[in-house]
Amino acid sequence: MIARKKLLRPSQSSNRLNAPVAVLAVLAILSLGGHAQAKSGQDQFVRQTARAKAILAQMTLDEKVGQLIQVERAALKDPSDVEKYYLGSVFNGAGSGVAGDIKTLPPWSDVTQAIQTRALSTRLHIPLLYGTDSIHGNNNVPGATIFPHNIGLGATHDPAIVRKLERVSAEETLAVGFNWAFAPCVTVPQDYHWGRTYEGYAQDPALVAKLGGAAVEGLQGKNLANGEAVMACVKHFAADGGTEGGHDQGDAKIDEATMRRVHLPGYVSAIQAGAGTIMPSFSSWNGLKVSANKHLMTDILKKDLGFEGFLISDWNAIDQLGGDYKSQAELSLNAGMDMFMITDKYRLFFDNVKALVTEGKVPQSRIDDAVLRILRVKLAMGLMDKGYSVAPNPKLQAKFGSAEHRQIARQAVRESLVLLKNEKKTLPIAKTIARIHICGRGGDDIGMQCGGWTLSWQGQMGPVPGGTSILDAVKKAVSPGTKVTYSKDGTGAEGATLGIVVVGEIPYSEGPGDRTDLALPQEDKDAIANLKKANIPVVVVLLSGRPMILGDALTQSDAFVAAWLPGTEGAGITDVLFGDYKPTGKLTFPWQRTMEQLPLHYDDKKADPLFAYGYGLTYGK
Ligand code: BGC
């Protein structure tokens, strides 16, 4: 596993004093219109104010400061720190647990129960929110159902399937005892150099808003307090996808009108849908890190947009602000951050914040506001009601990774496919075809289908338990008389009736996925060339987190399918290839011809994309 903290760009260490805040504030007032109604959906937190205040009134400073801290499970220096520091939350980073020895469901749920039990043993019995990156299913736990990444879900244009699969994701998340998901990501990626492009649904902010709202509804369910809700965490606020050059954690150099028009609609709809937590971005807005930006976090998000939940920092995000650790906490707290995601420095953070309050550098009222917000979310979720149980629901455990759940993922996959080319009616393929040859690095690789954020932070090539590869799915789809052959490099297809070559990107996430070149790797080009030598119709299936430079891969193909990062259910692909379902997916990102065309915008009438926003063929008329 790549060590995350080593990957921060040195140039991003800090930058806090150069934002033209006064100018931005004036613009904010001028452009307030349209966001006032965001407040509905937040009432469920406001209603808990009196109860939360009653608890707050009993709390010591230590107990309050503890609520502001979220620690990575593996970074806990001692299990008893959960109660000793009155922690408000624990989370597991991607791969945490899997990389150790917690490989399956019951040991995982034992871990979460033990941690939660410790929290409940504190004087005021305040339970934890246990966070995890369930960003395409409960992707940190082997055996979970893995859904398409957001770029594929965007292509479905279907809020109903997003709502439905996020409900499944919530059930599989709760099965382990996690009650908080760092999802959905409502980023609006502008530049495909960015390694997180696939975490975005679309370039059209209205579609992002629609699908982001549906995702919150799915995760949180109809009733926050019935024990079946996973708290959503909408991220990364804001303009994480608007950074210059598509640099991860970079700087969005945009005016406030653009910020509001392009990057905020997803938050407005998520807030309306009742989202209780939001994660400020690692990135900067006009040179000022969001984690230090009071105008964005407090004035715009909490005041203008009426967000009544709480803000959780990104992974050690305050370390990127200027000054020492104490002044970083001071800056971010005073700017409006409520809870802090921390690995090894949580004890120091605890001491620092207590000192900051005693020294009057962070007002007591700010601490109380943050704790109140956190308590209201916990209360709204029923975590402090009688009958709340730390033991994960056995009914949900029984459904973890089930066939029923995988059917829903399969539906999402088939709806997400975008057919870019189909000459001579190459598709759909007859199930009675005599011999079909499958090849390419992705032909039999579920890890590649899933992409990043799958069992580890970066994801990995190779097996993912419980999934179906494209090769497996083809074998199941064809009739008994069909011969299915396979070679990774595309050789040996001579004599087959048709070949399917699966190419694309190897898994990555975040900064390590930033690219200057989006051409297909030579190995993929070779596999296509090898298959071509057999002189048979060639179907190319592309597994990628963004539009790539297609070149010969497109011209040499008879049919071409953009399958994005579909997850574990390869049968969703064969559902369409063999004609059980017609392709319905449409591009939500315009497709570039060359790297020089980037950034390419969906609403740029003068651009000349290879495939325009909204493009996607189907079968028949
Ligand atoms: C990412 C977040 C994620 C967090 C916790 C960060 O590096 O930016 O999206 O939720 O890690 O794993």
Side-chain angles (χ1 to χ4, degrees), residues 4 91-94 133 182 196 199 235-236 249 279 282 314-315 341 453 457 510:
R4 300 161 58 121
F91 80 110
N92 54 270
D133 283 292
F182 304 136
R196 305 193 83 158
E199 295 188 52
K235 66 189 192 184
H236 309 82
Q249 307 187 9
M279 186 185 293
F282 275 128
D314 205 337
W315 179 285
M341 188 189 289
W453 297 107
W457 179 41
E510 296 192 55

Side-chain angles (χ1 to χ4, degrees), residues 201-443:
Y201 296 113
Q203 252 193 16
D204 176 3
L207 183 59
V208 173
K210 202 171 175 185
L211 300 182
V216 171
E217 287 164 8
L219 282 169
Q220 297 191 179
K222 290 205 166 67
N223 174 358
L224 266 189
N226 67 2
E228 297 198 359
V230 165
M231 179 46 61
C233 179
V234 197
K235 66 189 192 184
H236 309 82
F237 182 79
D240 53 345
T243 62
E244 205 173 43
H247 290 300
D248 190 43
Q249 307 187 9
D251 188 13
K253 294 184 178 155
I254 52 175
D255 62 19
E256 182 156 337
T258 308
M259 173 62 97
R260 286 181 181 265
R261 179 174 50 82
V262 177
H263 298 284
L264 296 195
Y267 295 93
V268 175
S269 88
I271 290 169
Q272 280 171 342
T277 74
I278 291 176
M279 186 185 293
S281 180
F282 275 128
S283 56
S284 304
W285 180 24
N286 293 324
L288 178 65
K289 282 280 177 192
V290 174
S291 303
N293 194 327
K294 187 172 187 188
H295 178 56
L296 199 48
M297 294 196 291
T298 299
D299 301 341
I300 294 185
L301 185 54
K302 291 180 177 174
K303 292 188 181 150
D304 296 358
L305 302 190
F307 175 61
E308 300 283 352
F310 72 88
L311 299 179
I312 168 77
S313 86
D314 205 337
W315 179 285
N316 288 328
I318 61 166
D319 295 25
Q320 297 187 33
L321 308 181
D324 60 9
Y325 198 47
K326 191 172 167 192
S327 50
Q328 290 165 341
E330 176 187 346
L331 183 62
S332 195
L333 265 167
N334 284 334
M337 193 73 78
D338 299 303
M339 189 187 270
F340 296 78
M341 188 189 289
I342 306 176
T343 54
D344 37 340
K345 286 195 284 194
Y346 64 92
R347 288 179 176 174
L348 179 61
F349 180 90
F350 183 88
D351 293 339
N352 282 344
V353 175
K354 278 176 61 184
L356 287 167
V357 177
T358 318
E359 292 158 17
K361 289 184 177 154
V362 174
Q364 182 68 54
S365 58
R366 177 71 268 275
I367 302 291
D368 286 353
D369 171 55
V371 177
L372 187 87
R373 286 171 174 272
I374 294 163
L375 290 176
R376 291 196 309 195
V377 168
K378 291 183 175 180
L379 288 164
M381 290 183 76
L383 303 183
M384 290 157 91
D385 291 344
K386 272 210 183 74
Y388 165 70
S389 158
V390 298
N393 182 334
K395 271 200 301 206
L396 298 183
Q397 290 204 325
K399 288 207 273 178
F400 183 84
S402 64
E404 179 195 340
H405 283 179
R406 291 180 189 280
Q407 280 303 324
I408 292 165
R410 178 173 175 171
Q411 180 192 343
V413 174
R414 64 178 173 252
E415 286 188 28
S416 72
L417 305 180
V418 180
L419 180 60
L420 296 177
K421 177 180 176 184
N422 190 20
E423 283 183 356
K424 294 181 241 139
K425 295 195 179 154
T426 304
L427 296 179
I429 306 162
K431 290 184 183 171
T432 52
I433 187 168
R435 184 187 147 201
I436 187 165
H437 190 78
I438 313 299
C439 60
R441 288 183 305 161

Side-chain angles (χ1 to χ4, degrees), residues 9 28 30 133 170 195 249 259 303 353 379 459 475 493 541 548 580 585 587 607 616:
R9 294 163 189 231
L30 293 177
D133 283 292
Q249 307 187 9
M259 173 62 97
K303 292 188 181 150
V353 175
L379 288 164
K475 285 182 182 160
V541 174
M548 301 192 67
D580 287 335
L587 293 182

